[in-house]
Amino acid sequence: MTTRVEMKDVHKRYGSNDVIKGVDLQVEDNEVVVMIGPSGAGKSTVLRMINGLETTTSGEILIDGEDIAHPGVNIDKVREKIGMVFQHFNLFPNMSVLDNVTLAPTELGLQSKADAEKAGRELLESVGLGDKEDAMPASLSGGQKQRVAIARALAMKPDIMLFDEPTSALDPEMVGDVLEVMRKLAKEGMTMVIVTHEMGFAREVADRVVFFGDGKILEQGTPEQIFDHPQHERLQSFLDKVLNV
Ligand SMILES: Nc1ncnc2c1ncn2[C@@H]1O[C@H](COP(=O)(O)OP(=O)(O)OP(=O)(O)O)[C@@H](O)[C@H]1O
Ligand SMILES: [Mg+2]
C-alpha cells in the first residue's frame, strides 16, 4: 500500500498560540479519512498544512514520501497533485462554468484547450451539471456551485482531494447532491481527507474517522469504533452534542 500523506509530530503555532500540538496522521492510497471535532480544534489548519497553504512550526509532512518543507521540493508541483474544496466555492464570477473548470490545466500548460474542454465536459457530466457549461456562476445554486468547484479541482487530475466542510454553507436541500458526488469519488478510489459535520455521511463513506480536539488527534478508528464505541470522554460529549441537535 502506498502512503499518500504522512504527518509526523506536526506542530503549528500562531504567535504564542499553539494550535496544532503534535499530530501524527497517515493517509493511504484510496483511503477516505474523515476528520471531525469541535470548532477551533485545528481541522482546517491541518488540511491547509497538507497542501502547503500553511507552513508547519515543527514536524514533517510527506506527500508521496516527499517532505514538502524541504528546500529542494517544488511545492507548486506537489500541490498540483492535491485538490482542495472549501466551504465557499471561490469560483471566478466572470467566467463560464466550463472556463472555470478548464482554466488551471490550460494556464499551467498541462492540456490543450480542446483536451481540457473535452475533459471538463466529462467532469461536469459526472457531477450532474452537463447542461450548465455555458452558465455563469451567479446563476447557479450553492449546491451547483460547489459541484463546479469539485469538478474544477478534479480537472487537475489530483491524487488526493481535501474537503473542508464542503456542505456547511449550503441550504439543506442542496447538501445531498454534493455528498452524492463525493460518495461517487470515494467509490472510484479517490484518496480523500474530508472535514465534515455530516455524521451520517462520515459513517457511511469513511474508512477511518479521526477525532480532533484542542490541536491533537484524541481518537481514531473505523466509523463503528468512533460512533458506536467512542472511548475518549471528549469524543463522547462531542457526539452527544452533534447527534442530538
Ligand atoms: N491565521 C491564523 N492566525 C491565528 N490563529 C489562527 C489562524 N488560523 C487559525 N487560527 C487558530 O487556530 C485554531 C484552529 O483553527 P482551525 O480553523 O484549524 O479550526 P477548525 O477545527 O477548522 O474549526 P472550525 O470547525 O470552526 O472550522 C483556532 O483557535 C484558530 O483561532
Ligand atoms: Mg475549519
Side-chain angles (χ1 to χ4, degrees), residues 14 17 19 37-46 48 54 165 197:
Y14 289 110
N17 195 7
V19 299
S39 183
K43 308 176 299 294
S44 297
T45 303
V46 164
R48 289 205 306 271
E54 204 69 81
E165 299 196 37
H197 294 292

